[in-house]
Amino acid sequence: MEFDLISRIRDRAPRRVDVVLGIGDDAALLQVPSGMQLVVAMDTLNAGVHFPAAAAPADIGWKALAVNLSDLAAMGAQPAWCTLSLSLPEAASAFVDGFLDGFLELAARHDVSLVGGDTTRGPLSICVAVHGLVEPGRALRRAGAGVGDDVWVTGTPGDAAAALAALQAGAAVDRALRARLDRPTPRVAAGRALAGIASACIDVSDGLLADLGHVCAASGTGACIELEALPVSKALTRFRPELRWPWQATGGDDYELCFTAPAAQREAVATALAATGEIGATRIGRIETSTGVRARSPDGTPWTPAMPGYRHF
Ligand code: ADP
Ligand code: MG
């Protein structure tokens, strides 16, 4: 069964010219371009935690790769290759076929080759590793935010959290919101464009305030966010505008980029992002000396979320 599944995967996996040896040997052999740094990230998705157990296999496949590409985007890296470890309760070839539909659709969009992996029997769990490339010195890190820097976010945070809350409440979910939860868009082009411009960057997986907190901790700074400045989607505004801020500030799963840049780079940020045609970004706050992340209501008073970002433990 295992070998049948592996050959199903191999037969569909695309292959870049820099894949010297792909699926089928003991390991893959990849040609790293000279003068580039290799960027490596890995993320695991467990049924019931990272996706509903009943989620469509194609959506699970998409998301498994998307969350990984999002990590490369947050580093300013160009994705190149990935590996896939599948733990499956049974030899579910229908599941694997559906999974690959979503996984390989996203892989094709970013010219990412699936070059290997592992297939075992066990509780449904998916582990993906991605490998990307970045010019030396240009990678975006969490450390690097300077006091006085602007804080930016791409896209419209909060949509995925709204969709998840609706699903959990058994309420009808707007299709646009649902798509942002099931098929997040890794901001790869934006990350590439910001490399060399942004001072620090992170992708928003656990919640804007929580993830910005990681940037601040790594940078030895704090930050203040203006809630009023948070860009909001039409779909979220239509759905439950009164819950906008908790979802936008603390909801996870958006996979937008939160980054910082000196005020002198405002033009450069806007121009670089516009050139990608992918997504714009909005200034939402400022890096400050005093540690921790604060959020301010439109009337200027401090705003405290009822729940901080998602924690696994
Ligand atoms: P080994 O015992 O050497 O680990 P495997 O039987 O696990 O060999 O894998 C054989 C080949 O198939 C290897 O090239 C491996 O990378 C690839 N492979 C196994 N599972 C997957 C998967 N889920 N996705 C992609 N490639 C896989
Ligand atoms: Mg193996």
Side-chain angles (χ1 to χ4, degrees):
M1 84 97 175
E2 177 194 336
F3 298 109
D4 176 52
L5 283 181
I6 295 173
S7 47
R8 290 178 99 88
I9 295 171
R10 187 186 53 213
D11 291 348
R12 292 183 59 184
R15 222 165 129 169
R16 293 159 57 105
V17 291
D18 52 14
V19 178
V20 182
L21 198 55
I23 297 171
D25 213 302
D26 295 317
L29 204 51
L30 309 168
Q31 190 61 52
V32 179
S34 62
M36 295 294 271
Q37 287 180 334
L38 188 62
V39 186
V40 180
M42 175 185 270
D43 255 325
T44 301
L45 273 75
N46 293 322
V49 180
H50 302 94
F51 57 87
D59 289 340
I60 299 171
W62 175 287
K63 194 160 183 176
L65 184 58
V67 301
N68 275 277
L69 294 181
S70 180
D71 281 324
L72 291 186
M75 296 300 292
Q78 183 65 47
W81 313 292
C82 66
T83 51
L84 167 65
S85 176
L86 283 174
S87 165
L88 302 168
E90 66 223 84
S93 53
F95 175 86
V96 170
D97 288 344
F99 178 91
L100 289 174
D101 288 343
F103 189 95
L104 296 177
E105 183 185 342
L106 184 60
R109 289 197 194 186
H110 295 280
D111 192 24
V112 169
S113 287
L114 175 60
V115 298
D118 202 19
T119 307
T120 56
R121 189 187 293 261
L124 181 58
S125 175
I126 297 130
C127 183
V128 175
V130 284
H131 309 256
L133 302 166
V134 72
E135 299 79 7
R138 283 175 77 92
L140 300 170
R141 305 177 183 204
R142 295 180 179 187
V147 172
D149 282 3
D150 295 319
V151 177
W152 298 73
V153 70
T154 60
T156 55
D159 297 351
L164 184 62
L167 275 182
Q168 287 173 341
V173 193
D174 179 280
R175 278 186 61 203
L177 293 179
R178 184 69 196 264
R180 299 259 295 149
L181 177 67
D182 291 341
R183 294 211 168 202
T185 307
R187 303 303 187 189
V188 171
R192 289 295 289 153
L194 292 167
I197 299 176
S199 50
C201 186
I202 194 167
D203 64 321
V204 179
S205 53
D206 294 338
L208 187 56
L209 298 184
D211 287 316
L212 178 57
H214 298 317
V215 167
C216 289
S219 302
T221 63
C224 185
I225 295 302
E226 306 296 337
L227 292 178
E228 203 173 19
L230 292 176
V232 64
S233 70
K234 286 203 182 75
L236 184 49
T237 308
R238 268 196 310 266
F239 182 48
R240 295 287 296 275
E242 75 283 8
L243 290 175
R244 168 187 163 184
W245 288 327
W247 284 334
Q248 292 204 278
T250 66
D253 264 353
D254 282 312
Y255 300 97
E256 296 294 348
L257 297 182
C258 177
F259 61 96
T260 62
Q265 298 281 26
R266 284 179 190 170
E267 283 280 325
V269 166
T271 309
L273 291 180
T276 68
E278 184 188 68
I279 192 80
T282 309
R283 276 188 289 123
I284 57 169
R286 189 72 60 87
I287 295 295
E288 299 177 341
T289 317
S290 86
T291 55
V293 177
R294 294 159 287 282
R296 208 156 37 203
S297 309
D299 62 8
T301 57
W303 179 86
T304 318
M307 255 198 348
Y310 189 82
R311 295 179 84 102
H312 288 277
F313 301 102

